[in-house]
Amino acid sequence: MANEVILLDFWPSMFGMRTRIALREKGVEFEYREEDLRNKSPLLLQMNPVHKKIPVLIHNGKSVNESIIQVQYIDEVWSHKNPLLPSDPYLKAQARFWADFIDKKMYDAQRKVWATKGEEQEAGKKEFIEILKTLETELGDKPYFAGDDFGYVDIALIGYYTWFPAYEKYGNFSIESECPKLIAWAKKCLERETVAKSLPDPEKVIGFVSELRKRFGLE
Amino acid sequence: MASGEVKLIGSWASVFVMRARIALHLKFISYEFLQETYGSKSELLLKSNPVHKKMPVLIHSDKPVCESNIIVQYIDDVWNSSGPSILPSHPYDRAIARFWAAYIDDKWFISLRSILTAQGEEETKAFIAQVEERTELLEKAFIDCSKGKLFFNGDHIGYLDIALGSFLGWLRVVELDANHKFLDETKTPSLTKWAERFCNDPAVKPIMPEITKLAEFARKLFPKPQG
């Protein structure tokens, strides 16, 4: 049976980036469809009625929602090439733990960095750096989070890197000076074609964040 | 790999700890249950889960695994030849089970807990309505996932049954506190029957907390404002 894969996505979404990378790591051909989040397509609303959010992965007409679930799905369906999760159960559990940590902590913290000001922003910056430092400690001296192989945790985190210049600009701080090893890890990830193809230009992201800030009355 | 000492840091009252215990029971794994004292965190807990400092923590051959749903999947992976499969076998069914498990934790549970912390009648009513709506979605999810069988996972209890079923004690406590039934034969017929089957399953029955004991504990955790 031919595989028809459609991804409903939004270009700056760090969540959509995960699914794009996972599909490319597996060499899966897919149709990328850009959604206008202020005018969601009937297909999006039909395929993700519970959350009405992107990314939505549609495989042979059936939808899989939530980016971290999509990455696992892709790994399990196209299991013959480039495993994204370690096979050892303990290492797999560790990978799941760190992806879950990223999901629990990163989004809200990063949002405070660019979408708030004053004391709230300062608190957000502090929290954000603390989270990055925890991740940097976990990375240690390994090339990737799981060791020698690029995989699940790298995929869960790398999309946020395209937003770093925007955080630095609007938060008025340097992430590299706080977390140099993490920046080195990110640059290494970007050397992979699957990642480079899946991530937007950070300058474009700055433009997007600027528009959002105008809408929120911050500029 | 499957051999090695198993310990579980937890508490009799915790939903999330219960998930790990059900999974261990399903796989016939003996474990040492290290119960935390309410109000303080043991050194072992803080050492084994330095990031979140929360229970449950499964310690297998001295290596800690944290986060209830991750622990359940770990147990299924390690003891894969023992007992029934906890995760569905097909990737699509797994994705659906994971989706609803995440929904239960991120949305359904949050509204349920909000009933216990709500200030005043208006707020309580609003959260009750939210839980009603979200439970209705879970009723539909059960019909879709079970495909006419007894559990979300089919013939046997599985990942999604554990994810939701572990809440049944607390759900009953909230129902009594709010004087409102969320699971009932007219509104949620499938879930109501499933709940009874789940609670009577041999892997669950011995560890489902007694409702009066749980309600008493809830009053300690969520004291009602006076007056």
Side-chain angles (χ1 to χ4, degrees):
Chain A
M1 179 182 182
N3 271 312
E4 188 199 46
V5 180
I6 299 169
L7 180 65
L8 305 182
D9 201 348
F10 180 50
W11 68 270
S13 164
M14 55 287 262
F15 303 105
M17 289 175 214
R18 295 167 170 181
T19 314
R20 294 171 220 166
I21 295 170
L23 287 167
R24 291 191 166 109
E25 283 286 317
K26 298 291 189 171
V28 177
E29 297 279 328
F30 65 100
E31 184 192 336
Y32 178 95
R33 288 194 200 167
E34 191 71 42
E35 283 283 331
D36 175 358
L37 296 186
R38 287 192 283 178
N39 184 19
K40 294 176 180 178
S41 73
L43 185 63
L44 169 56
L45 299 175
Q46 183 203 353
M47 290 290 166
N48 191 359
V50 174
H51 300 303
K52 305 175 176 53
K53 285 182 173 180
I54 56 91
V56 178
L57 181 72
I58 309 173
H59 181 205
N60 294 332
K62 299 210 288 195
S63 62
V64 177
N65 296 311
E66 297 297 294
S67 61
I68 213 68
I69 294 175
Q70 289 162 356
V71 173
Q72 291 177 83
Y73 175 80
I74 290 164
D75 197 35
E76 287 164 8
V77 171
W78 290 279
S79 55
H80 58 284
K81 151 179 193 180
N82 276 2
L84 303 177
L85 275 164
S87 52
D88 173 74
Y90 184 72
L91 296 175
K92 197 184 275 193
Q94 293 311 298
R96 288 196 167 119
F97 176 86
W98 287 106
D100 178 70
F101 174 82
I102 290 161
D103 270 356
K104 279 182 161 73
K105 304 276 188 186
M106 284 287 283
Y107 188 78
D108 290 344
Q110 61 89 41
R111 200 168 191 289
K112 287 186 203 146
V113 174
W114 63 264
T116 67
K117 52 188 176 155
E119 259 177 60
E120 205 186 340
Q121 189 187 38
E122 286 308 306
K125 277 161 66 178
K126 192 163 171 258
E127 200 190 325
F128 181 69
I129 288 295
E130 250 168 62
I131 291 164
L132 289 187
K133 284 193 159 152
T134 303
L135 288 165
E136 197 180 50
T137 305
E138 175 55 26
L139 177 68
D141 291 316
K142 298 179 272 152
Y144 299 109
F145 278 89
D148 291 324
D149 296 320
F150 177 81
Y152 194 68
V153 182
D154 310 291
I155 293 173
L157 185 59
I158 192 63
Y160 283 97
Y161 178 68
T162 59
W163 284 65
F164 280 13
Y167 304 151
E168 289 178 322
K169 177 175 179 163
Y170 298 113
N172 194 29
F173 67 134
S174 158
I175 297 175
E176 182 151 17
S177 63
E178 300 275 3
C179 305
K181 279 186 167 171
L182 207 61
I183 299 298
W185 158 83
K187 289 180 175 164
K188 191 179 165 70
C189 289
L190 268 148
E191 286 168 11
R192 289 178 89 79
E193 203 191 323
T194 56
V195 176
K197 271 182 117 165
S198 304
L199 265 43
D201 177 359
E203 282 303 308
K204 265 188 94 182
V205 175
I206 292 177
F208 172 69
V209 175
S210 172
E211 282 305 309
L212 285 178
R213 283 171 55 89
K214 283 192 191 113
R215 237 187 275 162
F216 298 163
L218 288 161
E219 331 201 320
Chain B
M1 182 75 220
S3 64
E5 209 181 28
V6 180
K7 296 180 184 171
L8 181 70
I9 304 177
S11 146
W12 63 274
S14 162
V15 165
F16 305 103
V17 171
M18 191 183 226
R19 290 175 177 171
R21 295 177 80 189
I22 295 171
L24 288 165
H25 290 190
L26 283 171
K27 299 290 192 177
F28 311 108
I29 306 304
S30 313
Y31 61 100
E32 192 184 345
F33 188 37
L34 302 168
Q35 289 220 57
E36 290 284 302
T37 313
Y38 173 66
S40 70
K41 296 188 186 201
S42 71
E43 236 180 87
L44 183 64
L45 172 60
L46 296 175
K47 191 181 81 160
S48 313
N49 191 358
V51 174
H52 299 306
K53 304 176 176 55
K54 285 182 175 179
M55 57 169 106
V57 181
L58 183 79
I59 305 178
H60 181 208
S61 299
D62 296 321
K63 298 200 292 193
V65 181
C66 307
E67 293 300 301
S68 62
N69 287 338
I70 294 174
I71 292 171
V72 171
Q73 290 183 87
Y74 174 79
I75 290 166
D76 199 32
D77 285 339
V78 172
W79 290 282
N80 55 6
S81 50
S82 179
S85 225
I86 297 177
L87 269 288
S89 47
H90 195 280
Y92 182 73
D93 296 329
R94 288 173 168 229
I96 296 299
R98 287 175 176 140
F99 174 86
W100 286 112
Y103 179 82
I104 286 159
D105 280 358
D106 299 339
K107 300 279 185 196
W108 185 82
F109 163 58
I110 303 300
S111 332
L112 189 71
R113 190 178 58 184
S114 299
I115 295 174
L116 289 176
T117 56
Q119 305 289 320
E121 213 187 306
E122 281 304 306
E123 219 183 90
T124 308
K125 264 184 167 170
F127 285 123
I128 288 176
Q130 205 176 62
V131 175
E132 281 277 326
E133 213 182 283
R134 291 175 176 182
T135 308
E136 217 186 285
L137 273 186
L138 294 177
E139 167 81 5
K140 290 199 190 93
F142 179 80
I143 293 166
D144 289 339
C145 295
S146 63
K147 302 180 185 78
K149 295 193 169 181
L150 300 173
F151 298 103
F152 282 93
N153 200 40
D155 294 318
H156 308 284
I157 281 180
Y159 185 73
L160 188 49
D161 300 281
I162 294 172
L164 183 58
S166 50
F167 276 108
L168 288 170
W170 276 98
L171 178 62
R172 191 77 200 105
V173 167
V174 175
E175 284 181 334
L176 291 168
D177 182 80
N179 195 25
H180 184 101
K181 285 208 96 189
F182 294 109
L183 284 192
D184 94 357
E185 294 81 17
T186 41
K187 289 184 287 188
T188 55
S190 306
L191 275 186
T192 305
K193 290 193 204 87
W194 161 83
E196 210 184 327
R197 283 194 294 268
F198 182 86
C199 291
N200 283 314
D201 189 278
V204 175
K205 199 161 182 185
I207 56 171
M208 184 61 85
E210 212 199 292
I211 301 302
T212 37
K213 205 178 165 201
L214 203 57
E216 200 183 304
F217 184 67
R219 278 191 285 276
K220 228 193 321 186
L221 271 187
F222 302 103
K224 287 289 179 195
Q226 298 301 311

